[in-house]
Amino acid sequence: MSSFADSVDLAQIPTTRRLPMSAPNLFLIYVTDTERSTHFYADLLEIEPVFRSPFYVAFEVAEGVLFALWSRRREAVTPETPRLSEVGLMVPGSAAAIDELYGRWTTNGHRIVEDIHDDVFGRTFVIADPDGNLIRVSPID
């Protein structure tokens, strides 16, 4: 059985700047269908992937920072698996910007997991991707 490193040349994934090894620079989520999830996140984040393969897709979300989808562990992605972490999208602007995004994503049919409300860090809500991975929207700290 080949490993992920055997199937993907990480040096081929473009980044504009390399971060120090001690800074997290890859955020990976498991998905069951890479193509479906790529479409979901490209639309949601309004960016295109910088790398695509049948089982791994990477988006550069900040200079030198990748957000990636991996379907090689699809057996671990089940509705019974609790989602204990969240992808965070910190939105610039006022609470109205978060309200506007909530309205747009609700209209687009995204599954709302936690309805919009004010919390200790400000206006927030949570949606789920097609596999149940959680995405929290909040203001910039």
Side-chain angles (χ1 to χ4, degrees), residues 3 8 15 20 37 42 67 86 95 98 119 132:
S3 72
V8 175
T15 59
S37 294
F67 171 74
E86 300 173 345
I98 294 172
D119 212 318

Side-chain angles (χ1 to χ4, degrees), residues 63-137:
E63 193 173 325
V65 179
L66 296 178
F67 171 74
L69 312 171
W70 192 17
S71 65
R72 282 277 169 103
R73 299 268 172 102
R74 75 183 95 209
E75 71 282 352
V77 182
T78 67
E80 297 79 31
T81 304
R83 301 311 197 272
L84 302 175
S85 62
E86 300 173 345
V87 172
L89 299 178
M90 296 171 62
V91 176
S94 66
I98 294 172
D99 290 341
E100 188 276 327
L101 190 58
Y102 175 82
R104 188 171 40 169
W105 286 1
T106 301
T107 300
N108 289 346
H110 293 300
R111 184 165 56 105
I112 304 297
V113 175
E114 187 177 301
D115 207 14
I116 196 163
H117 66 282
D118 293 314
D119 212 318
V120 296
F121 45 80
R123 200 85 169 137
T124 187
F125 67 94
V126 177
I127 67 168
D129 76 3
D131 289 302
N133 295 301
L134 303 176
I135 303 154
R136 176 174 299 279
V137 176

Side-chain angles (χ1 to χ4, degrees), residues 13-30:
I13 299 173
T15 59
T16 53
R17 179 175 69 89
R18 300 285 178 200
L19 296 175
M21 188 59 116
S22 60
N25 57 10
L26 173 63
F27 300 89
L28 180 73
I29 62 169
Y30 298 141

Side-chain angles (χ1 to χ4, degrees), residues 4 8 13 26-29 31 33-39 41-42 47-60 66-72:
F4 170 69
V8 175
I13 299 173
L26 173 63
F27 300 89
L28 180 73
I29 62 169
V31 299
D33 182 328
T34 308
E35 186 68 30
R36 177 185 67 187
S37 294
T38 299
H39 177 72
Y41 282 102
I47 59 174
E48 289 300 314
V50 295
F51 180 84
R52 288 179 184 248
S53 74
F55 301 105
Y56 179 86
V57 174
F59 296 87
E60 187 172 34
L66 296 178
F67 171 74
L69 312 171
W70 192 17
S71 65
R72 282 277 169 103

